[in-house]
Amino acid sequence: MENPIVFLQGPRVYLRPVEESDVPRMTRWINDPEIRPYITVGHLSFSTILEREWLAQQAAKGVEAALAICVNDGNRHIGNIALEGINWMSRVATTGTIIGEADYRNRGYGTEAKMLLLHHAFHRLNLRKICSPVFANNARSLRYSQKCGYREEARLKDQHYVDGQYVDEIRLAVFKEDWLPLWRQFQQART
């Protein structure tokens, strides 16, 4: 891809709109046994037909940002991130992220993508609080969310049934004022 579409640019990744051509890759991710236990629909199998329907629903619902996470070096699509459910009166929204390509997990790409999306949410959309639900057994997601300033606000006991056991859902949130110092550090690390 010579001139990729870039919605948000970071030092190692950029975010662009999710495209129809991404659906087969996304279908592979959503069916990955390492990812399925951490999503609410992990007990289902997904076809490219269902993924296409999901993508169309996102557009129809007016999801504010369903974005592909791509690595700058080689333009490889490695995951997705979304900002949805914006409540404009309360200035609150929810995010969700998936790093689908196993070789790119635990390397900071999700953290960078989330920081870019939070900058968009707080500075361009003037939101004040961003929430993220996380399964308690998803240590990777908890760690990276905390790096982005998220803190636990609530815990829903035994909320999800995963692989023969019930797991809690942790409701995380980050406020703009708590995130700003982390953004400054992120900016300094980029220079």
Side-chain angles (χ1 to χ4, degrees):
M1 183 184 303
E2 280 185 32
N3 295 311
I5 296 169
V6 176
F7 179 67
L8 299 171
Q9 180 68 61
R12 298 186 314 148
V13 302
Y14 64 91
L15 307 182
R16 64 162 173 78
V18 174
E19 300 290 345
E20 173 75 23
S21 60
D22 298 325
V23 168
R25 185 171 29 264
M26 291 165 34
T27 303
R28 178 173 46 84
W29 297 341
I30 206 81
N31 286 291
D32 183 331
E34 286 197 32
I35 292 173
R36 276 196 333 261
Y38 304 120
I39 56 177
T40 56
V41 292
H43 61 286
L44 303 172
S45 64
F46 280 82
S47 65
T48 54
I49 295 167
L50 290 173
E51 270 306 285
R52 278 190 187 91
E53 287 177 11
W54 173 84
L55 189 57
Q57 288 171 359
Q58 299 310 298
K61 281 192 319 189
V63 170
E64 290 75 12
L67 301 166
I69 303 169
C70 299
V71 178
N72 290 335
D73 184 17
N75 297 313
R76 184 170 184 193
H77 178 205
I78 63 166
N80 292 337
I81 191 165
L83 180 68
E84 55 192 355
I86 293 179
N87 178 324
W88 291 106
M89 180 182 275
S90 299
R91 296 177 34 229
V92 175
T94 300
T95 60
T97 308
I98 182 173
I99 300 296
E101 296 298 329
D103 293 347
Y104 292 86
R105 294 180 195 145
N106 294 319
R107 296 178 57 195
Y109 293 106
T111 301
E112 182 176 327
K114 180 70 72 130
M115 292 297 282
L116 294 171
L117 189 64
L118 289 172
H119 181 264
H120 174 73
F122 290 138
H123 290 283
R124 293 186 180 147
L125 301 180
N126 194 30
L127 298 177
R128 66 178 186 84
K129 177 182 175 182
I130 307 298
C131 303
S132 184
V134 176
F135 285 25
N137 62 340
N138 190 345
R140 181 184 301 133
S141 186
L142 283 168
R143 257 191 330 268
Y144 110 96
S145 295
Q146 290 167 342
K147 285 182 189 176
C148 294
Y150 285 80
R151 299 293 174 254
E152 183 174 331
E153 281 198 323
R155 183 177 288 255
L156 305 177
K157 300 299 287 179
D158 296 336
Q159 183 71 8
H160 301 283
Y161 187 73
V162 179
D163 293 333
Q165 65 181 356
Y166 289 96
V167 298
D168 296 352
E169 178 179 304
I170 300 173
R171 298 280 176 101
L172 301 172
V174 60
F175 286 88
K176 181 177 181 177
E177 60 270 14
D178 297 329
W179 171 82
L180 279 171
L182 297 173
W183 176 251
R184 289 185 197 105
Q185 290 173 5
F186 178 77
Q187 290 288 89
Q188 288 173 353
R190 291 169 69 171
T191 56

